Amino acid sequence: MPLRAVAALLLWASCYDPSVKLGVPCSAAGDCPRGQQCDDLTQICMAPTELVTWRDDTAEDFAQPGAVLANGVVEAAGFVAPTPYLTSRVRLSAIASDTIGDVATATWATASTGTITGRAFSTDLSIDYSDEIPPGLGLASGDNVTVLIEGELYLDAMGLWRLSLRANDKGFIELAAPGGDYERITDDTNVGSIVSYMASTVGWYRFRAAFADVAQLMSFELEVDSPVLQGMFRNVDTENLRVAVDDLQGYLVDAFNEPALLAYVATAHDTQPLVDRPLAADPFGFEIGTLGWSLRWSNQVLIETEGDYAFRIVSFHGHRMWIDGMEVANNFATSATTTSTTAPIHLVAGWHDVVTDVTKEDDTTPGQLSVTVESGPVWAGQPIPIDHIRPVMGRSKRWLGGSSTAVLAIPDGATAARSVFLQPPFGFVPELIEAGYVIEHPVPAQVSIVLDPPVGANITLLAAGSATGTGLYNDHTTVSVASYGTSWIFVAGDNTVDAMTGNLTGAAVTVVGRGGVAPFPTAVRYESAVRALGNVVGYGAASWQLRQGSTATVQMRSCDDAAACASEPWTDVVNGSVPAVTARPFSQYAVAITTDGDVPTALDWFELIYSARPD
């Protein structure tokens, strides 16, 4: 027992006179009858009390047994926040053995038993590894392996859905309706399986799946047929996919087969600090070679110490960086080593979006990237610690791409056309467009490439006579955002009739912009565990603080025993005021947080001061 509580108890035991009536108001000077004490909160004379502070300020405080969270998580750093989602992706995890066995009797528990060799992410549920080693998953072989898939699928209509699964060599999928448990939907052994599923509500359905390969080809393809578009199986739209990543640290890394984010290949999960990172041939197992490619690291950084931060970026070749959607570095140069030091930017406590691009032009020298804190209240001269980084992609700086690698023959002395299609999410706003191509021809100077954009006049990407060298030739060009749209046509021409012909082997368009599905729910509700306050006499002020936002409704209720609180009504509380709630031995508070889906407003701490008689 605290010394002040012991002293108060001794005073009460030795001096308190029960013949003197309790409950009279304190005098103007705060005096009371002998043996009584003026309660600071109620200004009423009573038996001796002490002021007690109930403060929730750590992960352990918020995660007490009995606490309830909807759409939120208790962060390890000690606050209640919206569940972080990586949108437009699902999570992949690999195990270097066939853990499925007999698919008809396999369960998620048995399929997921084993050492995870690595994690990656997929932009869709049409995954085809062919006979290659799956990239980004830390596997040494593409045979005798299992890949687990986890995420959420948005079903936009109630009614009877049909799901088509084809898994090579074998696989299964389980689905959980909002608020429900997982149930086995179907399985397949490379013959195809179609099953009906009744969706009783519109919303996000959790799913988990596994597929395994014994030898040769490996793939997993899930298609859906909605109650609205009956009879038409289609791939799941990217914007209808997401996965919670509150349990993950590190970066999301998108890989592209060409410079300037052209020709998307795959996505990896990077858990290493970005300091002096060599990017040799095929980093993360991506088949992007040693010449021209590009990589994008997307993540959120947890700032715990508010202040001005500057960053230093070193790369081979060029790079650029955005923080919370604001460009802080743009040095897409082709010099051997490119260095940028950003101007200081003020960052408040909380999570902040960071995007870093690296582009590498044709050069056999290994790539490189280093991102460190140049100056700031913490971490100066160091990389940001991995335990302060999570793979969340904000809406303020996303990419949208389309490409074609099908070989298109360019007729001698004539033209041929190849179309590239984009599928933008609703409300996507373009800010930068790159278009690129790859040709092969004995004399590239004979070839011209003209881009017919969705809007506006044709754009000459390569004029006849301007290419150099022999064989392969590639280039990329920045295109006006006024040309933005879904359908892009590349017209390749051979401008000399001489019996020498070539091919258009790659065409790609990438748009950098903002939009897409929000990474956070817009409503979070937290109910604390019921707290025993002891011989409570009165409430003082209830206070709280938010991170990165100012919108929250806080309520309290009290009860005579813990079980009774569930049936008591909630009462709204004003920050810094005395709750209009009867002081009783047990109490509970609730916080309803509203976010815009982009900034993760969080409850930093809650505090209630109250007076109580010592036991």
Side-chain angles (χ1 to χ4, degrees):
M1 180 181 294
L3 290 177
R4 63 176 179 171
V6 173
L9 183 60
L10 292 174
L11 176 65
W12 178 71
S14 62
C15 301
Y16 172 55
D17 183 355
S19 66
V20 180
K21 182 180 179 181
L22 295 172
V24 298
C26 306
S27 71
D31 296 327
C32 288
R34 185 177 68 86
Q36 295 186 31
Q37 171 183 302
C38 182
D39 182 70
D40 290 336
L41 299 180
T42 64
Q43 292 297 297
I44 297 295
C45 293
M46 58 183 61
T49 61
E50 61 177 346
L51 287 180
V52 184
T53 299
W54 167 13
R55 184 179 176 91
D56 285 349
D57 195 17
T58 68
E60 183 178 10
D61 294 337
F62 288 121
Q64 291 285 331
V68 178
L69 255 175
N71 296 328
V73 295
V74 176
E75 301 266 2
F79 49 92
V80 177
T83 300
Y85 286 97
L86 174 56
T87 57
S88 301
R89 300 286 196 281
V90 295
R91 181 193 305 192
L92 308 178
S93 306
I95 301 172
S97 63
D98 173 9
T99 58
I100 291 180
D102 182 356
V103 71
T105 59
T107 66
W108 175 259
T110 57
S112 59
T113 299
T115 301
I116 302 297
T117 60
R119 290 186 173 89
F121 302 98
S122 176
T123 58
D124 58 37
L125 290 176
S126 181
I127 303 168
D128 186 359
Y129 294 133
S130 186
D131 58 354
E132 304 294 332
I133 298 175
L137 290 172
L139 293 167
S141 170
D143 294 329
N144 192 34
V145 299
T146 300
V147 174
L148 310 174
I149 313 173
E150 298 171 86
E152 296 184 20
L153 169 66
Y154 190 76
L155 299 184
D156 55 9
M158 294 186 295
L160 194 65
W161 287 72
R162 292 195 306 155
L163 285 75
S164 171
L165 174 65
R166 182 177 291 275
N168 188 350
D169 292 323
K170 52 191 171 183
F172 65 85
I173 184 169
E174 298 177 352
L175 206 60
D181 295 327
Y182 285 105
E183 59 177 301
R184 183 70 162 262
I185 300 301
T186 189
D187 53 59
D188 181 55
T189 54
N190 199 30
V191 295
S193 173
I194 296 177
V195 65
S196 296
Y197 179 80
M198 178 59 71
S200 59
T201 184
V202 171
W204 288 99
Y205 287 66
R206 293 177 298 139
F207 73 87
R208 58 192 187 189
F211 65 114
D213 180 55
V214 177
Q216 298 183 344
L217 305 180
M218 184 178 189
S219 63
F220 179 96
E221 182 178 41
L222 180 71
E223 295 183 320
V224 295
D225 176 22
S226 78
V228 177
L229 301 174
Q230 294 182 356
M232 187 174 71
F233 279 109
R234 68 189 192 282
N235 291 333
V236 178
D237 291 339
T238 297
E239 62 182 315
N240 287 340
L241 296 173
R242 71 179 187 180
V243 61
V245 292
D246 52 293
D247 61 330
L248 294 182
Q249 299 173 352
Y251 302 87
L252 171 82
V253 185
D254 291 322
F256 303 84
N257 207 36
E258 299 293 335
L261 308 189
L262 290 167
Y264 169 72
V265 176
T267 301
H269 178 215
D270 184 10
T271 59
Q272 299 301 312
L274 281 182
V275 57
D276 299 327
R277 290 284 298 278
L279 302 171
D282 299 327
F284 305 102
F286 299 134
E287 293 189 3
I288 56 177
T290 60
L291 297 174
W293 47 254
S294 46
L295 298 170
R296 163 168 284 200
W297 280 261
S298 300
N299 60 279
Q300 286 193 324
V301 171
L302 176 61
I303 296 295
E304 295 188 273
T305 305
E306 181 176 351
D308 294 339
Y309 291 80
F311 298 88
R312 177 179 172 84
I313 309 112
V314 180
S315 67
F316 183 98
H317 288 128
H319 60 256
R320 56 193 180 194
M321 175 186 280
W322 295 266
I323 298 178
D324 291 335
M326 182 176 71
E327 185 179 272
V328 295
N330 190 342
N331 201 343
F332 253 29
T334 58
S335 56
T337 300
T338 305
T339 302
S340 296
T341 299
T342 72
I345 181 173
H346 190 78
L347 300 177
V348 300
W351 290 98
H352 295 269
D353 297 340
V354 179
V355 174
T356 307
D357 291 345
V358 173
T359 187
K360 186 170 179 289
E361 301 290 341
D362 293 342
D363 192 306
T364 58
T365 305
Q368 175 195 356
L369 176 63
S370 185
V371 179
T372 54
V373 177
E374 178 73 7
S375 63
V378 294
W379 306 329
Q382 306 171 42
I384 299 169
I386 284 294
D387 63 3
H388 283 62
I389 296 171
R390 66 184 181 188
V392 171
M393 179 175 57
R395 284 195 292 187
S396 61
K397 199 59 56 182
R398 295 189 178 183
W399 64 269
L400 164 69
S403 62
S404 172
T405 56
V407 176
L408 176 69
I410 308 173
D412 191 27
T415 62
R418 169 71 70 205
S419 295
V420 170
F421 296 96
L422 304 181
Q423 293 183 320
F426 178 78
F428 188 82
V429 179
E431 296 175 343
L432 175 68
I433 302 177
E434 294 276 354
Y437 58 88
V438 180
I439 59 173
E440 56 178 7
H441 194 283
V443 184
Q446 295 182 7
V447 179
S448 62
I449 303 290
V450 174
L451 178 64
D452 182 2
V455 179
N458 288 358
I459 303 166
T460 299
L461 302 181
L462 175 66
S466 61
T468 59
T470 61
L472 286 175
Y473 184 89
N474 65 287
D475 201 4
H476 57 90
T477 303
T478 301
V479 177
S480 169
V481 294
S483 302
Y484 175 70
T486 59
S487 178
W488 302 73
I489 302 173
F490 290 76
V491 180
D494 185 325
N495 294 275
T496 304
V497 178
D498 57 3
M500 289 192 298
T501 60
N503 303 299
L504 176 67
T505 60
V509 176
T510 293
V511 184
V512 175
R514 61 185 187 275
V517 179
F520 304 104
T522 56
V524 179
R525 182 173 176 83
Y526 169 77
E527 295 182 7
S528 75
V530 177
R531 184 66 62 94
L533 303 184
N535 297 320
V536 61
V537 174
Y539 290 148
S543 306
W544 60 89
Q545 180 172 292
L546 302 180
R547 291 189 177 200
Q548 291 185 290
S550 58
T551 305
T553 299
V554 178
Q555 299 173 312
M556 287 189 63
R557 61 187 179 186
S558 64
C559 46
D560 293 319
D561 63 81
C565 266
S567 60
E568 292 289 336
W570 292 101
T571 298
D572 288 354
V573 179
V574 177
N575 198 355
S577 69
V578 177
V581 178
T582 302
R584 291 190 281 185
F586 295 87
S587 189
Q588 185 182 21
Y589 69 92
V591 180
I593 300 172
T594 302
T595 82
D596 61 3
D598 292 311
V599 178
T601 300
L603 174 65
D604 199 351
W605 53 262
F606 171 87
E607 182 177 274
L608 173 68
I609 298 174
Y610 63 95
S611 62
R613 296 188 184 93
D615 293 333

